[in-house]
Amino acid sequence: MAMASYEIDDPPPQLKAQAAFLIRRHSDQLRSIALSSDPKLHYSLYVDFAELMDDDPPLAQSLFSQPTDHLRLFDDAALWAHQIVLGDLKGRKSVIEKKFIHVRVNVSGSPLECPETFPRIGTVRVKHRGILLTLKGTVIRSGAIKMYEGERWYMCQKCKHKFLVYPELEARNSISLPSFCPSQRSKSCEGMKFTELEESVIRHDYQEIKIQESTQVLGVGAIPRSIPVILKDDLVDIVKAGDDVIVTGILTAKWSPDLKDVRCDLDPILIANHVRRTNELKSEIDIPDDVIVKFKQFWSDFKDSPLKGRNAILRGICPQIFGLFTVKLAVALTLIGGVQHVDASGTKVRGESHLLLVGDPGTGKSQFLKFAAKLSNRSVITTGLGSTSAGLTVTAVKDGGEWMLEAGALVLADGGICCIDEFDSMREHDRSTIHEAMEQQTISVAKAGLVTTLSTRTIVFGATNPKGHYDPDQSLSVNTTLSGPLLSRFDIVLVLLDTKNPEWDAVVSSHILAEGESDKVEHDEDLANIWPLPMLQRYIHFVKGYFKPEDISSYYQLQRKSAAHNAARTTVRMLESLIRLAQAHARLMFRNEVTRLDAITAILCIESSMTTSAIVDSVGNALHSNFTENPDQEYAKQERLILEKLRSIDEFPDINGIEGLRR
C-alpha cells in the first residue's frame, strides 16, 4: 500500500535535496512551465539520469533501486520547486500556479543502458521488478485513452491528520486503507477510522499500448515477445502503431481479466515514466570517423575509373551468386533510393524505389531478398501465401471489449524494407491493398469504427515466378498475372530467364564449387577486392544520410511512346522512377550532383526491366549479365548508343551532353 503523509510546508530532507537539484539544473524548464497559460494541464520536467548521478550519486542510486517512492517524491519536489520559481516571478502577470508536474527520467547515455537494466522484452523476469527498467521495441497496438481514478485524500477522524492513498495496480486499482493512522508525530494517535475528503480524487488520463521486440535481434525460430505499457497524463497519445520507442518505467504485474474456464494470473506490465520515440534515429548502425575516411580513400583510389569502384561495391552484394550484375545494381539502387520531393502545394513524391524480380525457379531470387533484408537496418520478410491484406497493412483486434489497431508488416517496416516472396501467390484483393502503401506511402484504415492513416515509408522488394513458361511475346502483366497498376508502381522489374546456356552453366558450376573451398580462407579487409557485409551496411546507411542529390529533368518521357507493347509499365511513374534511380546512383558513386553517367545508368536499369528494349537491343537476359573487365569503356559504348537513339527522336532534336539532362 502506497501513501504520502506529509504537508507541503514541511517537506522531508530527501524532497528538499531533489527540489534543490531541480532548481539548480532545470530552472529554465521550471520557468517555462510557470509561464504556460493552462493551469489544468499535466507538465513534463525532463531530467537526465547521467546528470543526476554526477550531481547527487546517493539520490540517483535510491531513485534506481526504489523508483515507485522516489518518483512520487520527485513530482512533489517539482511542485515545491515550482512554488519557489513562482515567488521569483511574482511581478509578472502571466504567471499561473500549476497543479500537476511530472519528472520524466531519461536514462540515455547513463550506466542504466547496460543489459541488466536494459534487457530484451523476451528476457524480462521477476528480478527486474521494482527497479527503474528500460525496454526497447516497436508499438504494435495503441489503445483508446481512458480516464482513471488515481490517488485520493483521507483524514483521520481522531487526530484530523490528512494523507494520500494510492490505488494498487496489482489489486485491480483498489484502494486499501492503512490499519491505523500513519501520522508521524512524536505521539502516535493510532486512530483506525478514516473519512475520504470530498472532491479529493485526482483523475488521470490513461492509455495502454503494447510494444514488441525487434525481429532483428532475434535468432531464427524465436517468437518476438511483447509487453503492455501503461502511459499516464502527459505521456498519452504521443506514440502510434509502428513507432520505435524506448520506454523507461517500473515493472509491475496486473491481474488478467476474468474469463470463464481460464486461469487467472498476473501479467507483467510496465508503468512508463519516460517514452522516447526513435523513429528519427532508426539506425542502429554506428559509423566511426575512420570508416568514413576509408570510404573517401576508396573513391580517391578509383578517381580515374569510377565504374570499376562501383562494381567492386556491387560484388559484395550476394557474393555467393555468380554474375547477375544488373540485379545487384538494381538491389543497390533500390536500397539507397532517391530523395523525397515535396512541391509548393505540399504534394509528396516518394523517394523510395520498389523492385520486383520475375524469374524461373533456381535463379537466386530469394537469396537476393534475404540479403537485401540483412543490408537494411529495419526489415520484415514475409511470403505471399501466408500474407493477408490485414497482415500486411493493419488489423483491428478486440481487446477487453474495445477495438484496437495492430500494425502489420508494411507499417512495421516503416523506414526500412519489406520483402515479399512468392508475390504471385497472394490473393488478388490482398495485393490491391498495397497499392496505396507503395505510391502514397500511407495506409488509410476504416475498420470497426476506427478511421485513421498510418505511415509506411517503406521499400517493397517482391519476387515472383512467371505463370507457366515465360512467353517473351506476351506483355509482363500476362506473364506474371499481376495487374497493370501494381506493375507500374515498381521502379525496376527484372526478368530472370533460365535459357539453359551450356557455357553459362559451366562458369556458374565452377564458381559454386570454388565457393566451398574459399570458405576456409580468411577474408581480408581490402575494399578494392570485395566488400564485407558490415561495411556494405555502413556504406549504404552513410550515403543515404549524407548525400541529397539534385533532380534531373523530365527529358525522357516522350521516348516511352515506342514502348506501347508494355503499356502496363509505361506511365508518368516511369519518369519519377528514372529520377529516383539517377539520384540513387549518384549516392552510390559517393557524390551530390547527378551527372550524365547517373542518367544513362538509370535508363539502362529501366531498359533491362523492359521485356522489349526500346533502345539497347544488346541488353538481353538479366540472368546472364556479368561484371565486365573494363566497365568504363563498356559504358562509353552504351552512352553513345543511347544518346544517338534519343537524338533520333523528333521531339529531342538537340539533347547535347549534360545540359539536356538537367533542368
Side-chain angles (χ1 to χ4, degrees), residues 273-380:
N273 170 262
H274 181 268
V275 178
R276 181 157 59 107
R277 285 177 66 207
T278 56
N279 287 30
E280 291 74 25
L281 325 159
K282 266 192 182 135
S283 65
E284 288 297 307
I285 303 169
D286 182 36
I287 306 173
D289 292 340
D290 59 323
V291 173
I292 297 169
V293 171
K294 249 187 199 176
F295 294 155
K296 289 178 178 167
Q297 180 61 42
F298 171 81
W299 281 108
S300 65
D301 293 348
F302 282 101
K303 194 168 62 201
D304 301 327
S305 53
L307 291 178
K308 216 166 192 174
R310 178 199 71 184
N311 289 3
I313 296 172
L314 295 183
R315 275 196 187 91
I317 293 177
C318 241
Q320 72 271 27
I321 292 179
F322 176 75
L324 267 70
F325 163 74
T326 315
V327 185
K328 292 182 181 182
L329 177 62
V331 169
L333 296 185
T334 306
L335 282 170
I336 291 170
V339 183
Q340 189 184 42
H341 173 64
V342 184
D343 64 12
S345 67
T347 309
K348 290 180 182 174
V349 177
R350 65 182 161 95
E352 283 78 11
S353 304
H354 304 307
L355 170 64
L356 179 67
L357 296 181
V358 182
D360 292 329
T363 47
K365 301 185 298 295
S366 299
Q367 296 272 359
F368 279 111
L369 242 69
K370 293 271 190 334
F371 198 83
K374 277 187 205 163
L375 278 178
S376 178
N377 55 333
R378 190 172 191 192
S379 60
V380 174

Side-chain angles (χ1 to χ4, degrees), residues 148-152 165-167 173 175 201-204 232:
Y148 131 95
E149 288 194 350
E151 58 272 31
R152 55 189 75 191
V165 181
Y166 290 88
N173 285 341
I175 294 267
V201 179
I202 297 167
R203 292 175 176 84
H204 301 272
K232 284 201 271 193

Side-chain angles (χ1 to χ4, degrees), residues 118-131:
F118 197 161
R120 283 197 301 108
I121 292 173
T123 59
V124 170
R125 301 288 181 266
V126 173
K127 65 176 182 179
H128 295 119
R129 185 175 172 270
I131 60 168

